[in-house]
């Protein structure tokens, strides 16, 4: 009876996920391999070929890749350092947690408004990068801090007694124990780095500076033109890249965990 009740409670969410995510994604394969919505002519991989030859798509992929490669390691490193400091001094600085988490719950429009009002002298790319670090760094810190707070402190004490310094304690004891959280935070950071379109759009509109013309800009502009073939083809290509990254991260996390434990 309980299983039936749980299933009934899940049905609205499952129905929404199926209707608004799974079905459109599956249907995008139809658009990706047809000429257009009117002729419905099957063109095999011609849409992919035209997409890869499109200079704006190549620019969007280049900028998106550059932003992700730079932003994710930076936010991971900064967040980890802050979390390690906070776990030692959190009782003395209780307000710091709230200050770090505040940008996460602020609407993007508010963040952009504050940015334009007080800090608008940076280049477009650096502006987006700093906004990303500011907005999502606090979330990463909270996740890492939760994992650090749940650690068995006796392992740190044992390492200290054995003569390990702070760096050795961190690398050989702390990081291996929070490895699952680190990998989850990494995936979350990658996903968030691909969602900077909101800030980019609010700052620079549909056609921003070419240094911040991201894949989301490309998709949004072609959606406005009703070019479903380009949107679907780019979405499939983009999804393959994201799923590949996630798969590689999960394999790496599993191997690291097995080598540790």
């Amino acid at each position: 009876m309980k299983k039936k009740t749980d299933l009934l409670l899940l049905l609205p969410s499952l129905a929404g996920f199926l209707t608004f995510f799974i079905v459109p994604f599956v249907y995008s394969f139809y658009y990706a391999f047809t000429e257009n919505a009117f002729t419905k002519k099957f063109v095999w991989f011609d849409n992919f070929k035209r997409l890869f030859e499109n200079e704006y798509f190549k620019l969007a992929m280049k900028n998106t890749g550059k932003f992700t490669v730079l932003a994710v390691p930076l936010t991971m490193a900064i967040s980890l350092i802050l979390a390690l400091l906070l776990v030692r001094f959190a009782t003395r600085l209780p307000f710091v947690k709230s200050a770090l988490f505040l940008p996460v719950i602020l609407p993007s429009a508010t963040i952009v408004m504050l940015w334009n009002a007080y800090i608008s002298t940076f280049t477009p790319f650096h502006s987006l990068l700093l906004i990303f670090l500011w907005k999502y760094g606090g979330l990463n810190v909270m996740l890492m801090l939760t994992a650090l707070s749940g650690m068995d402190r006796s392992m740190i004490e044992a390492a200290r007694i054995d003569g390990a310094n702070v760096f050795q304690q961190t690398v050989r004891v702390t990081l291996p124990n929070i490895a699952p959280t680190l990998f989850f935070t990494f995936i979350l950071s990658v996903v968030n780095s691909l969602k900077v379109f909101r800030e980019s759009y609010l700052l620079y509109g549909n056609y921003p500076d070419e240094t911040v013309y991201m894949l989301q800009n490309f998709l949004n502009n072609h959606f406005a033109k009703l070019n479903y073939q380009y949107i679907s083809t780019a979405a499939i290509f983009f999804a393959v890249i994201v799923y590949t990254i996630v798969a590689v991260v999960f394999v790496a996390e599993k191997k690291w965990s097995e080598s540790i434990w």
Side-chain angles (χ1 to χ4, degrees):
M1 185 66 184
K2 186 178 181 304
K3 289 183 178 180
K4 291 182 179 179
T5 304
D6 293 342
L7 183 60
L8 287 173
L9 293 173
L10 284 172
L11 276 178
S13 296
L14 291 174
F17 182 73
L18 182 68
T19 304
F20 296 107
F21 289 92
I22 301 300
V23 171
F25 182 71
V26 172
Y27 203 69
S28 66
F29 282 87
Y30 166 76
Y31 283 116
F33 292 98
T34 55
E35 186 176 33
N36 55 59
F38 301 102
T39 63
K40 301 179 181 180
K41 180 182 176 182
F42 192 73
V43 293
W44 295 95
F45 293 97
D46 287 355
N47 288 328
F48 289 89
K49 182 181 178 181
R50 285 197 294 268
L51 182 70
F52 297 146
E53 292 173 350
N54 186 290
E55 60 177 313
Y56 292 105
F57 176 75
K58 289 188 284 188
L59 176 64
M61 287 300 300
K62 173 189 168 185
N63 289 337
T64 303
K66 178 183 176 182
F67 185 86
T68 300
V69 168
L70 187 60
V72 173
L74 266 177
T75 189
M76 289 291 294
I78 294 171
S79 301
L80 181 59
I81 292 171
L82 288 174
L84 290 171
L85 291 174
L86 280 175
V87 80
R88 292 175 177 270
F89 306 108
T91 54
R92 304 178 194 175
L93 303 170
F95 64 91
V96 175
K97 292 182 181 180
S98 300
L100 287 171
F101 194 71
L102 181 61
V104 180
I105 60 177
L106 284 176
S108 296
T110 304
I111 292 176
V112 169
M113 182 183 67
L114 292 172
W115 188 267
N116 284 330
Y118 301 106
I119 320 172
S120 58
T121 57
F122 293 93
T123 63
F125 183 84
H126 291 109
S127 293
L128 275 186
L129 180 61
L130 291 172
I131 288 175
F132 174 80
L133 296 176
W134 179 36
K135 182 173 177 63
Y136 296 107
L139 176 61
N140 292 350
V141 171
M142 292 299 104
L143 292 171
M144 294 178 185
L145 191 58
T146 301
L148 290 169
S149 301
M151 271 186 57
D152 185 358
R153 307 305 299 177
S154 63
M155 291 186 289
I156 299 290
E157 295 297 328
R160 185 181 296 115
I161 292 171
D162 288 339
N165 56 36
V166 175
F167 178 77
Q168 291 171 328
Q169 293 169 27
T170 302
V171 173
R172 297 182 179 276
V173 180
T174 303
L175 295 185
N177 275 277
I178 64 169
T181 300
L182 290 177
F183 280 99
F184 173 75
T185 307
F186 177 82
I187 293 173
L188 191 63
S189 298
V190 171
V191 172
N192 286 330
S193 73
L194 303 174
K195 292 161 54 180
V196 293
F197 171 72
R198 290 173 298 181
E199 290 76 19
S200 176
Y201 178 80
L202 290 170
L203 281 170
Y204 310 113
N206 277 326
Y207 298 94
D209 184 87
E210 66 174 17
T211 60
V212 289
Y213 185 79
M214 304 293 184
L215 187 60
Q216 299 98 321
N217 295 99
F218 179 85
L219 294 174
N220 189 64
N221 293 340
H222 281 280
F223 178 78
K225 299 174 184 176
L226 302 181
N227 192 342
Y228 298 139
Q229 275 62 39
Y230 264 15
I231 298 171
S232 300
T233 307
I236 291 170
F237 179 71
F238 193 49
V240 170
I241 292 177
V242 173
Y243 293 152
T244 301
I245 293 173
V246 172
V248 170
V249 169
F250 272 113
V251 171
E253 191 273 337
K254 183 179 179 181
K255 288 186 177 180
W256 191 23
S257 299
E258 289 175 350
S259 66
I260 294 169
W261 305 110

